Amino acid sequence: MTSSELRRSFLEYFQSHGHRIVPSSPLVPHGDATLLFTNAGMNQFKDVFLGREQRSYSRATTSQKCMRVSGKHNDLDNVGPSLRHHTFFEMLGNFSFGDYFKHDAIAFAWELLTKEWGLEEERLFATIFKGEDGIPRDDDAYARWLDFVPADRIVALGADDNLWSMGDTGPCGRCSEIHYFRGNDLPCRAQTCLGPACDCDRYVEIWNNVFMEFDRQPGGALLPLPKPSIDTGMGLERIAAVMKGTLSNYDTDAFTPLLIAIEGAHGGSTSPSELATSMAPAAVSTRVVADHLRAMTFLIADGVLPSNEWRGYVLRKIMRRAMRHGKRLGFTEPMLHSLADELVAHMGDAYPELRTGRDTIVSVIRAEEQRFDAVLTNGLPKLEELLDRSAQNATPVSGDDVFRLYDTLGLPLDFIEDLAGGRKLAVDRRGFDRAMEVQREKARASSAFEGKRAEEPTFGSPETARRLRASGDQFDGYTTTLVEGVTITALLDANRHQVATLPAGSSGYVLMDRTPFYLESGGQVSDTGDLRNEAGTVVARVDDVVRLGAGLPRGHKVAVIADALHEGQTVAAHVDSRTRDATRRNHTATHLMHAALRQVLGTHVKQAGSLVAPDRLRFDFTHFSPVTGPQLREIEALVNEQILRNAPVTTEVKDTAAAMASGAMALFGEKYGDRVRVITIPGFSVELCGGTHARATGDIGLFAIAQEGGVASGVRRIEALTGDGALHDYQMRRETLHALVSALGVSEHQAADAAVRLQQDARRLAREVQELKVKLAMSGGAAASGGAEAGEVDLGGVKAVFRSVPGLDKNALREFSDSLKAAIRSGVVVLASATDDGKVAIVASVTPDLKGRLHAGNIVKALAPIVGGGGGGRPDFAEAGGKYPSKIDAMLAEGRAVIEKMVRGPGPVKQDKSA
């Protein structure tokens, strides 16, 4: 069976047993700050396991895209040498949410493996949890396995193997693994093979059944889950290898097309089977490229772009590791982007986002390859200097210096080690690792990923939290901005601790059974407004709406201004309609602009972030060059054309799968349930969206692009205005233009040319002024001031010129210095100028014959602090700046003493290390 056939067979088997086939969630987890990437099939069901979210089904099955490149689940370093580890892989899984448990889960697994797929029963071994750390042995699983295998094929293992958790916190439980016995003909380093507990290749784990029973708390405590559930996972690539009877996951159709493409791209002739199994360096590099190409392609398709931060940093690391191994294979030009089409063709049917994102994927990979080539071009000279220094001193290559090349220039460590090894030099890995850990600590301290989370609400009892989660709140804000007869279900003080009353003058959070207040999501900001008592009096101002925790009603952040609020009180919830209307205009305009961008720039454009606020909209999107002026005008015109149409904005609630199949665009980073709202502007835009929108495009009034720019590699940003904001912006620009043409005395269409001419004239006049000042100074006129120190003096046989020359910039000072140096032929020149902006410019210049005795860099380092500045430079020329022009004469006077000391001092002048 091919990998595609196995995927389909697995999903259809569980579908026939009452499971809902659920699409894979993106590799970027939504709303889960504990995860860098999706690393297991159960990630998208975490809140369901915790009882915080309800689904319309209690059984599910998925083929989930996964990445394991960080934390506990980090397989990056194993990729290549290992025949069965990957950064990206597909995890097949079946799930029960309080429905069936161990008895049925084990039976399902056994039937699929032996009856449907035909694996030999005698080759299957089971493991159970043996009991550890106060958690008892799993006798239920043991008893069930006895229905299928003899006791000698059931192995009890400890927590490292049979107590599974997604991370340091969250759902976890005892588990039962299924191992496949490949045969005793394979080598084993142990004196006696330990069976499924051994790390040899005789036994390979193919399926893990996790019996979700606990919720691990931050302190390590295990609390019972509301409903015991099932979470299973089976790596598609690994089961494909077992079904084919090969030791290597790479020796399957999941990788063979890529191996063939990579080998052909560099003119190799090694068979794909040998590439998949050999430990030859070229075969290892080919496997690295194949694996990493899959990872980068899927990450980019899910909206991740290479950068120096967080997820983008991991992607860049994967991409550059692949590029480095590509160069080991002999690739001298960018080539990874040309291989992406092979993967898109192979997996695009199962994952349509690869086809729709193909142009973006190729462009991002090509751009990063070009950037990496530039990194090597810029970094190699500095690396060669470092290696030369180490060779000259006969010392290991400094770990700190290696880290700087790695961190600032992006040179890969293995690349540095390769070049060092070629010159028989060792790299100080301990020093490198220390520097890396310092950087990680800094990143952890400032990263949003590791950052401090908002205080979790504290309720009077667990029952209260369960009650609130069970009841939730009803959002009525799609149809109205005023909901009367609302019941306050709970109150929290400013520290998010439950209270019975919020007195007048206090602040806190109000939870209600119904609400018209929108909670920030999909880029749209939360609503603001007020709460009113039964008499219609405003009793509290609603300043924000926040998410308090999964499954809990939204928290209305309030300032109580009259009377007190009490739990159980009935109020009227009122959204500021003017602000809501402005937000709706901007949200609908965002959809229009998204569609216009795709029309003008191409279908590779995908949302990469957004902000929808009352006063503006901001839209980040994938694109690889600045948007030109004509393109911006066309985008703006398209949006305003739709506004003039006054087309209706329609909303439908559909099944997610049906909505996606109809061509509706899903937005980056959003999590969608079984049913979704589809916002349609007929003939122009169809998107999944949970936000609030205008009733018709004409409600927007006017759309104006305020600015466009880049925010990251391959990501552009447009900020725009609508309605009153766009009108005000237009009026302000018109007034500015009228003031400009009035000042210039020209017509509007001549204003730009007139401004350019004025700038050119100003620059020309500035140059002429500086030239005249230099000539005046050279003539010995008034500009040459500063008393005796301003002229030429003899200091121990060395000519020295000190001059204060007001009004000269650094360029003019350099020119004047060169003229004076040519005039004296041998000597030193020190010039200072009080510049037109109230600062000090200093230059020191030494003729070539004196560089062994005098050092210009050391001269300015000694003098600049006198005028409140600093600087340095070469032995023959140096510059400095300062901020106290009144002290120039004192500095020049001190210059005479500094140079005298240098002239009369013993030995050569100490070099300025800042040069």
Side-chain angles (χ1 to χ4, degrees):
M1 296 176 74
T2 66
S3 57
S4 295
E5 291 169 342
L6 285 168
R7 184 193 302 113
R8 184 171 60 252
S9 172
F10 182 93
L11 296 175
E12 290 176 351
Y13 170 81
F14 281 102
Q15 184 182 45
S16 71
H17 287 82
H19 293 64
R20 172 79 64 88
I21 297 178
V22 179
S24 171
S25 64
L27 288 168
V28 178
H30 174 80
D32 190 341
T34 66
L35 280 178
L36 183 67
F37 294 115
T38 299
N39 62 12
M42 63 78 59
N43 290 167
Q44 67 169 307
F45 303 117
K46 179 178 177 180
D47 286 339
V48 182
F49 284 122
L50 289 171
R52 297 172 177 170
E53 180 185 345
Q54 300 297 319
R55 298 278 177 108
S56 61
Y57 48 84
S58 59
R59 298 182 177 194
T61 183
T62 66
S63 179
Q64 174 64 50
K65 301 176 291 189
C66 294
M67 287 285 298
R68 291 193 171 175
V69 288
S70 65
K72 173 184 175 183
H73 302 296
N74 187 351
D75 292 336
L76 180 61
D77 293 337
N78 293 321
V79 172
S82 168
L83 301 181
R84 60 174 188 253
H85 283 91
H86 307 289
T87 52
F88 169 87
F89 66 100
E90 293 180 76
M91 182 176 284
L92 305 173
N94 58 288
F95 309 90
S96 164
F97 312 120
D99 189 327
Y100 62 86
F101 202 45
K102 301 176 187 179
H103 188 275
D104 291 328
I106 290 171
F108 284 145
W110 183 260
E111 182 179 61
L112 178 63
L113 292 174
T114 60
K115 301 299 189 290
E116 298 290 326
W117 290 353
L119 288 179
E120 302 164 77
E121 294 185 6
E122 60 273 14
R123 288 184 178 270
L124 297 178
F125 286 68
T127 69
I128 64 164
F129 182 62
K130 72 177 183 180
E132 202 171 276
D133 297 332
I135 305 173
R137 168 186 154 108
D138 198 343
D139 291 328
D140 292 338
Y142 179 79
R144 184 53 168 152
W145 273 118
L146 286 176
D147 293 336
F148 303 105
V149 298
D152 62 356
R153 297 221 308 271
I154 305 174
V155 180
L157 300 177
D160 287 345
D161 297 292
N162 279 61
L163 188 67
W164 192 93
S165 62
M166 187 179 69
D168 294 333
T169 61
C172 61
R174 295 173 289 188
C175 61
S176 177
E177 299 170 341
I178 302 173
H179 291 249
Y180 181 81
F181 176 57
R182 283 171 159 164
N184 286 322
D185 55 314
L186 295 174
C188 179
R189 292 190 297 268
Q191 188 171 0
T192 302
C193 184
L194 301 175
C198 198
D199 61 358
C200 68
D201 287 329
R202 294 180 181 179
Y203 296 83
V204 58
E205 177 199 339
I206 57 173
W207 203 341
N208 189 11
N209 284 259
V210 180
F211 310 127
M212 285 291 187
E213 303 167 273
F214 310 111
D215 178 12
R216 187 187 298 278
Q217 302 301 297
L222 297 176
L223 301 182
L225 286 174
K227 295 179 180 179
S229 300
I230 291 295
D231 157 34
T232 83
M234 172 164 56
L236 175 61
E237 296 80 2
R238 189 174 295 185
I239 191 63
V242 167
M243 293 292 290
K244 186 181 178 183
T246 179
L247 290 178
S248 175
N249 295 357
Y250 295 90
D251 195 15
T252 67
D253 75 296
F255 285 94
T256 297
L258 286 178
L259 298 181
I260 292 172
I262 295 166
E263 188 71 1
H266 69 83
S269 58
T270 305
S271 70
S273 180
E274 185 175 348
L275 291 171
T277 56
S278 170
M279 288 300 143
V284 171
S285 289
T286 303
R287 292 196 293 271
V288 170
V289 173
D291 173 274
H292 290 8
L293 182 66
R294 286 172 24 122
M296 69 181 77
T297 299
F298 275 92
L299 283 172
I300 295 167
D302 277 350
V304 182
L305 295 171
S307 70
N308 291 327
E309 296 178 347
W310 203 14
R311 293 184 177 113
Y313 176 77
V314 176
L315 172 58
R316 174 163 284 168
K317 183 177 181 180
I318 290 170
M319 296 178 79
R320 291 190 171 180
R321 188 169 188 255
M323 294 168 198
R324 172 66 187 130
H325 280 272
K327 292 189 180 299
R328 289 181 178 178
L329 292 173
F331 290 107
T332 57
E333 298 293 329
M335 55 82 196
L336 287 179
H337 68 277
S338 65
L339 299 171
D341 281 329
E342 184 67 47
L343 185 63
V344 172
H346 182 61
M347 301 187 74
D349 289 340
Y351 298 99
E353 62 269 27
L354 296 184
R355 295 195 191 281
T356 58
R358 182 266 173 196
D359 291 347
T360 299
I361 292 165
V362 171
S363 297
V364 170
I365 295 175
R366 182 192 294 115
E368 188 63 17
E369 288 187 287
Q370 293 168 345
R371 188 173 293 107
F372 184 61
D373 279 351
V375 162
L376 294 183
T377 300
N378 295 331
L380 272 175
K382 290 181 170 54
L383 176 57
E384 292 290 354
E385 289 176 13
L386 177 60
L387 298 180
D388 288 343
R389 195 158 61 244
S390 296
Q392 184 177 357
N393 298 331
T395 59
V397 184
S398 163
D400 288 335
D401 290 338
V402 168
F403 179 77
R404 273 190 287 274
L405 293 178
Y406 166 86
D407 190 46
T408 60
L409 297 178
L411 286 178
L413 177 61
D414 62 348
F415 177 78
I416 295 172
E417 289 181 321
D418 279 355
L419 264 64
R423 297 177 60 170
K424 310 298 182 187
L425 294 171
V427 172
D428 174 19
R429 281 297 297 268
R430 292 181 65 181
F432 177 89
D433 291 341
R434 280 195 304 271
M436 174 67 83
E437 187 57 33
V438 169
Q439 186 206 53
R440 285 173 178 158
E441 288 297 333
K442 290 179 180 177
R444 279 193 283 267
S446 60
S447 169
F449 176 57
E450 295 286 347
K452 183 178 180 181
R453 291 198 234 170
E455 186 73 26
E456 289 290 326
T458 303
F459 295 102
S461 68
E463 289 74 20
T464 300
R466 281 194 286 269
R467 171 178 60 80
L468 290 168
R469 283 197 169 98
S471 61
D473 59 4
Q474 177 179 311
F475 177 62
D476 296 331
Y478 289 127
T479 57
T480 184
T481 55
L482 174 63
V483 179
E484 298 179 314
V486 174
T487 301
I488 296 177
T489 55
L491 295 169
L492 304 174
D493 64 16
N495 295 317
R496 302 195 179 190
H497 298 152
Q498 186 179 8
V499 292
T501 302
L502 283 177
S506 68
S507 61
Y509 300 86
V510 177
L511 285 66
M512 303 184 291
D513 63 342
R514 293 186 297 142
T515 180
F517 286 90
Y518 185 82
L519 171 62
E520 180 178 6
S521 181
Q524 179 176 328
V525 300
S526 296
D527 282 327
T528 59
D530 57 63
L531 303 180
R532 302 177 183 184
N533 61 21
E534 293 177 339
T537 303
V538 175
V539 292
R541 187 181 67 246
V542 179
D543 295 324
D544 196 6
V545 187
V546 300
R547 186 174 284 103
L548 293 173
L552 288 171
R554 67 204 70 198
H556 303 76
K557 187 176 182 181
V558 300
V560 185
I561 56 179
D563 299 329
L565 290 176
H566 307 280
E567 186 174 326
Q569 181 178 349
T570 299
V571 295
H574 176 252
V575 171
D576 183 329
S577 58
R578 183 178 178 85
T579 302
R580 165 71 78 81
D581 287 345
T583 304
R584 290 194 301 193
R585 286 194 292 268
N586 283 334
H587 204 152
T588 303
T590 299
H591 284 218
L592 291 173
M593 185 174 68
H594 190 184
L597 283 165
R598 290 171 65 86
Q599 282 192 33
V600 175
L601 303 181
T603 56
H604 65 278
V605 167
K606 291 178 65 177
Q607 182 199 2
S610 69
L611 171 69
V612 179
D615 59 333
R616 70 194 190 284
L617 67 90
R618 185 181 72 215
F619 191 77
D620 297 346
F621 57 96
T622 55
H623 190 57
F624 302 96
S625 61
V627 185
T628 65
Q631 288 172 330
L632 289 173
R633 287 194 296 274
E634 185 178 356
I635 292 163
E636 198 173 59
L638 279 171
V639 174
N640 281 299
E641 179 183 312
Q642 294 301 313
I643 293 171
L644 289 172
R645 280 181 59 211
N646 197 26
V649 180
T650 63
T651 302
E652 294 179 90
V653 179
K654 294 183 177 182
D655 288 336
T656 303
M660 297 291 286
S662 70
M665 282 194 296
L667 300 188
F668 171 75
E670 284 303 295
K671 179 181 180 181
Y672 299 101
D674 300 332
R675 294 180 65 75
V676 292
R677 293 171 60 84
V678 182
I679 307 299
T680 302
I681 300 163
F684 197 74
S685 169
V686 184
E687 289 193 20
L688 307 186
C689 181
T692 60
H693 284 271
R695 295 172 183 84
T697 57
D699 294 350
I700 298 170
L702 178 66
F703 172 83
I705 293 176
Q707 61 183 31
E708 187 275 344
V711 292
S713 173
V715 179
R716 307 298 298 177
R717 169 176 290 174
I718 285 180
E719 297 195 35
L721 304 165
T722 66
D724 294 339
L727 176 61
H728 178 71
D729 181 69
Y730 166 73
Q731 291 171 332
M732 293 298 295
R733 290 174 186 267
R734 182 181 61 189
E735 290 175 11
T736 300
L737 178 59
H738 286 174
L740 178 64
V741 298
S742 176
L744 292 173
V746 296
S747 63
E748 289 185 4
H749 72 273
Q750 295 172 323
D753 290 340
V756 170
R757 286 196 301 272
L758 280 176
Q759 287 181 321
Q760 291 172 342
D761 288 345
R763 284 194 291 267
R764 176 179 54 78
L765 291 171
R767 283 195 302 271
E768 290 175 359
V769 168
Q770 290 295 320
E771 289 168 1
L772 288 171
K773 287 180 178 180
V774 171
K775 290 178 181 178
L776 185 60
M778 285 294 297
S779 69
S785 62
E789 290 78 14
E792 178 183 319
V793 295
D794 185 290
L795 300 176
V798 172
K799 293 178 184 177
V801 177
F802 301 90
R803 283 198 179 181
S804 171
V805 202
L808 293 189
D809 60 19
K810 283 189 176 181
N811 290 330
L813 279 180
R814 290 191 199 105
E815 182 182 346
F816 188 25
S817 172
D818 289 342
S819 298
L820 289 174
K821 194 165 60 170
I824 63 175
R825 297 187 180 180
S826 176
V828 57
V829 175
V830 179
L831 302 178
S833 173
T835 61
D836 292 337
D837 58 359
K839 296 182 180 179
V840 178
I842 309 165
V843 298
S845 184
V846 176
T847 55
D849 61 308
L850 296 176
K851 285 194 297 184
R853 300 174 64 189
L854 301 175
H855 193 291
N858 288 345
I859 294 171
V860 299
K861 282 182 70 175
L863 297 180
I866 298 172
V867 291
R874 305 188 308 267
D876 60 328
F877 182 81
E879 294 178 305
K883 50 190 177 183
Y884 303 131
S886 62
K887 297 184 177 181
I888 286 177
D889 288 347
M891 181 196 72
L892 294 175
E894 178 64 20
R896 177 170 181 163
V898 168
I899 293 174
E900 268 189 311
K901 184 176 180 182
M902 286 185 177
V903 169
R904 294 170 181 171
V909 176
K910 184 179 178 181
Q911 297 294 301
D912 173 20
K913 293 183 179 179
S914 68

